[in-house]
Amino acid sequence: MSGICGWSGVALAAAEQKAVIDAMSAALVRFDASQARIASGKFGALAAAHVGNAASVATTPRAIVAVAGRPRFDDPELAALAQREGAAAALALGYERAGNDVFPKLLGAFEAAIIDEHSGACALAVDRVGVHAVRYCVADAAFVFGSNTACLRSHPAMDARIDEQALYDYVYFHVVPGPRTIFRGVQRLMPGERVAFHDGRCERRRYWQMRFEEGTAGDFETLKTAFRASLRHGVEHALDGGSAGAFLSGGTDSSTVAGFLGEVCGEPARTYSIGFDAPGYDEIEYARITARHFATRHREYYVTADDIVSAVPAIAAIHDEPFGNSSAVPAFYCARLAREDGVTRLLAGDGGDELFGGNERYAKQYVFSLYERLPEWLRSKVVRPALNGSAVVDAIGVLRKARSYVQQASIPMPARLQTYNLVDRLGRERMFQDDFLARVDAGEPLRHLDDIYHGAHAQSLINRMLALDLQITLADNDLPKVVRSCHLAGMDVAFPLLDEEVVEFSARLAPEMKLKGTQLRYFFKESLRGFLPDATIAKKKHGFGLPFGPWLESNERLRALAYDSLGSLRRRGIVRPEFLDELTSRRVSEHASYYGSLVWVFMMLEQWFDKHGDVAAT
């Protein structure tokens, strides 16, 4: 796996220090055969490893440094030094000159740690979009950090107690949203953040944040030329002088990456797709359209229900917190297919939706926002009274729909995005045990969303939703899914659409160029018309959706795995046993796809407990 680990602030005897950092670094690479590089100093030790061998450590009189990933430096001298001696050596020199102000000079995907040999201070940072993640805590005066919680728990000072709020948040979001982690007192750095530890105190701040300019639209042809150049540069940076294959779902993003990969390499790209033998889920024909269009060297794999049974325990084990995104399974099998083909790095198309307005909810929320433009007196004195509490409204379908529209449109953003959340729709009191619910704050998830949404450097509805999704959908969910699934398959991964040039282009692009009325990704699609197949541009978003619900009903092994997991979960004092009984006996048969998602979330929660068996529920 990629990552860093270590500690600062507490000097240990040489033998003990070696034993501790050896244990932490072993936890860092426990899922693959990557090599951990270790450096020790007066105040602590650190290590770095990377599944693609892109890790380095450096020791200087001023500091010891660890870097994982492939950062680039916007300082020419540091960039040249990184080429010669590795990123850690360049970061050490940058730190000597600028202290913690060196981090804004780093581009690309990375995580880094610096321990000052003069003061014992320690600084951590991760990249601007959150491809990499680092967790940290202060334990017995030691500042302990690691890319996964297994590293932290290998340090003797670490106290691993479950944060029950994180469990509630997991069921609500299907992931544990940062900066919270599953353990009390352990925090995760968010995209573009660094934390400095000195004299027993942590100072956490952003060194970079997305700032939307929301200017004029600009000349389309000029924008198109600049956009295509940024995409090409993103692929070039992701390749980093090497070679790679590409995920190919057949959607706009993965097709764009595959097309530019072939251009940059000067030969047909190697592409990999996943299919499902399930009506309504198999989108592989769109991948074939792209593969034919760009003449890629294409391979496919059809995931089965038995494949899910085989993969679930390993996926639960490799994630630091319970992780409920079921598309981790097809991502793993796609990466494994590429690895068997001799590929060591895959390029993924994640990020396009969150930068250029590709999710269906953006169009839906635009429609709801039209109601907000009506004068308040008209809404309160005419519209709402006319649609509420009337038998005529109940009897006429179009009026019932109008009432539902007004009811949803009246909910302020971003809470309106959660109107279909199953925790709220089914009732948290019916779902969770009373004792558990009394120990958590049920309002925390919506406050968390509110803080991100209103804290965004944006004014328009679309850009505020993009800012929210860059953290909640991308950094908390989709990036960990792809990164961990790839690492489980022994595969390195890069994200060309999250390159700084592409991100900065999105920040400058006018809101109406992202969402034109209800047209999703207007500029993205129009600028690539003629490059991508017309069928790809017209395709509705789908991705690697997993037919878990239908297969839950038809496959005995999968049903046994899921329901046995829920049977074990009922003993943990979190979810009401009667709710789990209702879910499995009635709800799934009513709507397998809809309620199957909740079965998956609870199954993965119990699987996480099972694979991290030495942690308690409280």
Side-chain angles (χ1 to χ4, degrees):
M1 273 177 65
S2 299
I4 59 175
C5 64
W7 79 94
S8 177
V10 176
L12 301 175
E16 185 180 4
Q17 181 153 299
K18 182 180 185 305
V20 172
I21 194 60
D22 283 351
M24 294 182 75
S25 61
L28 192 65
V29 300
R30 69 195 191 282
F31 287 100
D32 56 58
S34 57
Q35 175 98 27
R37 294 167 170 81
I38 294 173
S40 295
K42 293 186 294 185
F43 299 98
L46 44 72
H50 194 279
V51 72
N53 204 33
S56 59
V57 298
T59 302
T60 71
R62 175 66 188 274
I64 57 173
V65 179
V67 178
R70 290 183 167 82
R72 306 189 312 278
F73 292 83
D74 67 1
D75 179 294
E77 184 181 358
L78 296 182
L81 180 59
Q83 284 291 323
R84 294 194 310 270
E85 301 182 27
L91 183 57
L93 178 59
Y95 176 75
E96 186 172 332
R97 293 176 174 177
N100 292 337
D101 290 335
V102 68
F103 293 120
K105 298 181 182 296
L106 273 68
L107 307 173
F110 72 90
E111 51 197 296
I114 303 170
I115 300 177
D116 193 302
E117 285 288 81
H118 294 172
S119 65
C122 184
L124 309 175
V126 296
D127 60 82
R128 299 180 181 191
V129 292
V131 173
H132 288 256
V134 178
R135 293 153 175 82
Y136 67 90
C137 67
V138 178
D140 292 342
F143 182 70
V144 186
F145 57 89
S147 300
N148 60 62
T149 52
C151 298
L152 274 72
R153 293 172 59 209
S154 298
H155 193 282
M158 172 66 182
D159 181 13
R161 289 179 294 165
I162 294 293
D163 182 350
E164 290 185 309
Q165 185 67 48
L167 295 177
Y168 181 85
D169 292 353
Y170 162 74
V171 178
Y172 195 90
F173 290 114
H174 303 179
V175 297
V176 177
R180 190 184 300 278
T181 73
I182 195 65
F183 294 114
R184 298 177 193 174
V186 178
Q187 296 277 293
R188 174 164 64 90
L189 277 181
M190 299 308 294
E193 282 191 339
R194 63 90 165 158
V195 62
F197 173 80
H198 187 52
D199 291 335
R201 298 189 305 274
C202 287
E203 178 198 44
R204 179 175 178 148
R205 65 171 59 173
R206 287 187 179 272
Y207 68 85
W208 179 89
Q209 187 172 11
M210 186 83 158
R211 295 178 182 272
F212 295 93
E213 296 182 13
E214 308 208 5
T216 57
D219 175 70
F220 182 86
E221 288 301 320
T222 301
L223 289 172
K224 171 182 170 180
T225 300
F227 178 55
R228 288 198 178 191
S230 73
L231 293 174
R232 184 182 179 91
H233 293 157
V235 170
E236 290 172 347
H237 293 153
L239 288 172
D240 192 28
S243 63
F247 285 100
L248 183 58
S249 68
T252 312
D253 291 332
S254 64
S255 297
T256 299
V257 170
F260 277 102
L261 178 59
E263 269 196 14
V264 170
C265 294
E267 61 182 18
R270 289 176 292 184
T271 55
Y272 301 89
S273 297
I274 291 298
F276 307 103
D277 188 12
Y281 287 87
D282 187 34
E283 297 272 307
I284 208 162
E285 184 53 42
Y286 284 99
R288 292 169 182 165
I289 290 171
T290 297
R292 289 193 294 268
H293 181 78
F294 291 116
T296 71
R297 293 171 286 171
H298 186 61
R299 289 193 63 194
E300 301 169 352
Y301 181 81
Y302 268 75
V303 169
T304 68
D306 287 337
D307 286 332
I308 299 176
V309 176
S310 299
V312 157
I315 289 171
I318 201 170
H319 282 274
D320 294 286
E321 284 90 28
F323 189 75
N325 187 335
S326 63
S327 59
V329 172
F332 163 68
Y333 280 106
C334 196
R336 194 179 74 167
L337 176 66
R339 191 71 184 88
E340 291 170 352
D341 207 25
V343 174
T344 57
R345 188 186 311 169
L346 277 174
L347 306 190
D350 297 79
D353 287 331
E354 293 78 16
L355 290 174
F356 296 98
N359 288 316
E360 291 288 344
R361 59 180 169 273
Y362 302 150
K364 183 176 183 178
Q365 295 309 318
Y366 167 78
V367 173
F368 284 134
S369 75
L370 299 178
Y371 176 73
E372 298 172 346
R373 300 180 188 181
L374 295 176
E376 172 56 29
W377 68 265
L378 185 60
R379 285 181 276 161
S380 61
K381 302 296 185 182
V382 179
V383 177
R384 287 197 291 268
L387 293 174
N388 287 337
S390 169
V392 174
V393 173
D394 292 337
I396 301 175
V398 66
L399 293 181
R400 288 199 306 272
K401 290 182 178 179
R403 178 172 60 192
S404 175
Y405 167 83
V406 169
Q407 288 172 343
Q408 289 192 67
S410 298
I411 300 171
M413 286 290 286
R416 193 163 68 220
L417 294 166
Q418 297 298 317
T419 54
Y420 290 99
N421 191 293
L422 283 171
V423 173
D424 292 330
R425 288 182 73 85
L426 297 178
R428 64 181 66 92
E429 291 82 7
R430 293 180 58 208
M431 185 177 296
F432 294 103
Q433 297 269 28
D434 290 341
D435 289 347
F436 173 81
L437 204 56
R439 295 193 295 270
V440 303
D441 182 351
E444 170 61 23
L446 287 183
R447 283 198 301 274
H448 180 63
L449 295 179
D450 199 64
D451 288 344
I452 301 170
Y453 182 83
H454 292 290
H457 291 274
Q459 297 301 317
S460 62
L461 173 69
I462 179 61
N463 280 341
R464 283 185 171 179
M465 286 193 289
L466 295 184
L468 185 66
D469 276 348
L470 283 168
Q471 180 164 325
I472 295 295
T473 303
L474 201 62
D476 286 338
N477 196 328
D478 286 343
L479 291 180
K481 172 198 73 179
V482 177
V483 169
R484 294 300 175 95
S485 292
C486 282
H487 289 178
L488 188 61
M491 178 69 66
D492 190 14
V493 63
F495 302 89
L497 299 187
L498 294 174
D499 186 80
E500 283 80 7
E501 282 191 43
V502 183
V503 171
E504 289 169 5
F505 186 94
S506 167
R508 296 190 303 269
L509 191 64
E512 61 269 22
M513 298 288 275
K514 300 169 185 174
L515 181 67
K516 187 175 183 179
T518 58
Q519 287 182 264
L520 299 170
R521 304 178 71 129
Y522 170 76
F523 173 80
F524 192 109
K525 290 183 176 181
E526 291 304 313
S527 67
L528 292 172
R529 195 173 293 280
F531 176 75
L532 294 177
D534 289 342
T536 302
I537 291 176
K539 176 186 179 293
K540 289 189 175 182
K541 180 177 175 59
H542 186 81
F544 285 156
L546 189 73
F548 174 71
W551 285 350
L552 184 64
E553 292 192 296
S554 62
N555 187 276
E556 184 176 344
R557 290 186 65 217
L558 183 59
R559 187 166 56 252
L561 173 69
Y563 289 0
D564 287 352
S565 297
L566 268 58
S568 298
L569 180 64
R570 63 191 292 148
R571 297 192 293 269
R572 295 193 182 275
I574 301 169
V575 185
R576 290 180 177 273
E578 58 270 26
F579 178 84
L580 295 175
D581 291 341
E582 177 187 352
L583 182 63
T584 56
S585 65
R586 180 169 68 86
R587 295 284 187 180
V588 171
S589 60
E590 289 176 351
H591 198 312
S593 296
Y594 186 64
Y595 293 109
S597 65
L598 194 54
V599 173
W600 180 276
V601 167
F602 287 138
M603 176 184 73
M604 295 308 293
L605 175 58
E606 177 56 30
Q607 285 290 315
W608 185 86
F609 275 120
D610 182 65
K611 298 305 174 290
H612 301 77
D614 54 340
V615 300
T618 57

